[in-house]
Amino acid sequence: AQSVTQPDIHITVSEGASLELRCNYSYGATPYLFWYVQSPGQGLQLLLKYFSGDTLVQGIKGFEAEFKRSQSSFNLRKPSVHWSDAAEYFCAVGATSGNTPLVFGKGTRLSVIA
Amino acid sequence: EAGVTQFPSHSVIEKGQTVTLRCDPISGHDNLYWYRRVMGKEIKFLLHFVKESKQDESGMPNNRFLAERTGGTYSTLKVQPAELEDSGVYFCASSQAYPSDTEAFFGQGTRLTVV
């Protein structure tokens, strides 16, 4: 069965600092991988996705993620965090295609301090 | 283009009452999904429609939950009778049928509180 682990429940970073949110997945084949963000009062917004090809994917808002098959990881990074990045971030995996039900991690809440 | 919309945004009901949540997917999206997040836990899959047919309902918790998608457009999720453990945020998402390398678009969610 598929599973997603986000080991960090809550992370606090200073504005302007770099960020890395961890995500590990368990799935037998090459998965479809996603990062979503939920800002307060908003729905889930797709930051980026990996289906195949280049293992470093660029997303919106300056985020990127790297797929590492050997480590079963898909960590999210941003070189310089802005206060507006404070939100909850979810890593998710899909099975055979992008339009099959997703399995989510528990989410990582990001706080940004001045 | 309108995104996925969900109604209501919040609902507070008493245990034993009935609540109906509605989801309007993006126009033309054949796939419609319901997910739920109970406080402190991960977002969990409930149900997947392809057009008006239930493709996968393996995540539905029990028979108090009934989902419909008449005509393959909007969907409703009814909880009857509601229990305390049904509290959480219910998300709806939709996606195109093709190509396969697509993504699901989510609504804002309905926060359900059962007291």
Side-chain angles (χ1 to χ4, degrees):
Chain A
Q2 303 165 70
S3 67
V4 176
T5 301
Q6 292 181 249
D8 304 306
I9 297 173
H10 185 204
I11 285 181
T12 300
V13 300
S14 298
E15 191 169 15
S18 63
L19 171 71
E20 182 169 32
L21 302 183
R22 296 181 290 167
C23 172
N24 291 93
Y25 66 90
S26 174
Y27 182 62
T30 299
Y32 286 67
L33 294 160
F34 306 83
W35 274 99
Y36 284 88
V37 60
Q38 185 180 22
S39 300
Q42 305 295 315
L44 291 165
Q45 182 183 21
L46 181 71
L47 283 176
L48 47 77
K49 61 190 179 188
Y50 172 78
F51 293 150
S52 64
D54 193 345
T55 56
L56 183 63
V57 293
Q58 302 296 321
I60 62 171
K61 305 185 180 185
F63 285 92
E64 67 177 27
E66 186 171 12
F67 170 58
K68 292 186 177 180
R69 183 190 304 274
S70 62
Q71 297 177 22
S72 297
S73 69
F74 189 56
N75 294 347
L76 182 71
R77 300 193 295 249
K78 186 168 184 178
S80 177
V81 169
H82 188 261
W83 64 267
S84 61
D85 293 325
E88 193 159 19
Y89 292 79
F90 296 91
C91 181
V93 60
T96 55
S97 72
N99 52 22
T100 53
L102 301 176
V103 174
F104 283 86
K106 289 189 177 182
T108 297
R109 181 167 298 281
L110 173 66
S111 296
V112 180
I113 58 176
Chain B
E1 179 183 338
V4 177
T5 53
Q6 294 186 243
F7 307 95
S9 56
H10 293 85
S11 180
V12 181
I13 62 170
E14 293 184 350
K15 176 182 172 181
Q17 289 187 321
T18 298
V19 63
T20 300
L21 313 181
R22 173 170 168 146
C23 169
D24 287 73
I26 293 172
S27 178
H29 281 192
D30 287 340
N31 291 295
L32 187 149
Y33 315 82
W34 284 99
Y35 293 85
R36 176 175 74 172
R37 189 185 192 197
V38 173
M39 185 177 292
K41 306 255 178 146
E42 64 269 30
I43 300 169
K44 283 201 168 180
F45 165 74
L46 297 178
L47 176 80
H48 173 201
F49 282 101
V50 177
K51 296 185 180 179
E52 67 275 10
S53 300
K54 292 176 184 175
Q55 179 78 10
D56 181 354
E57 52 185 329
S58 60
M60 294 288 264
N62 51 61
N63 58 11
R64 294 185 294 102
F65 288 74
L66 175 64
E68 295 180 324
R69 191 183 183 193
T70 307
T73 55
Y74 70 90
S75 174
T76 58
L77 179 64
K78 180 189 287 188
V79 185
Q80 180 182 30
E83 298 289 345
L84 298 179
E85 64 264 25
D86 300 333
S87 295
V89 180
Y90 290 76
F91 290 101
C92 176
S94 70
S95 70
Q96 296 175 307
Y98 301 100
S100 61
D101 57 340
T102 184
E103 72 266 17
F105 295 84
F106 282 78
Q108 290 184 304
T110 293
R111 181 174 297 277
L112 174 65
T113 303
V114 183
V115 298

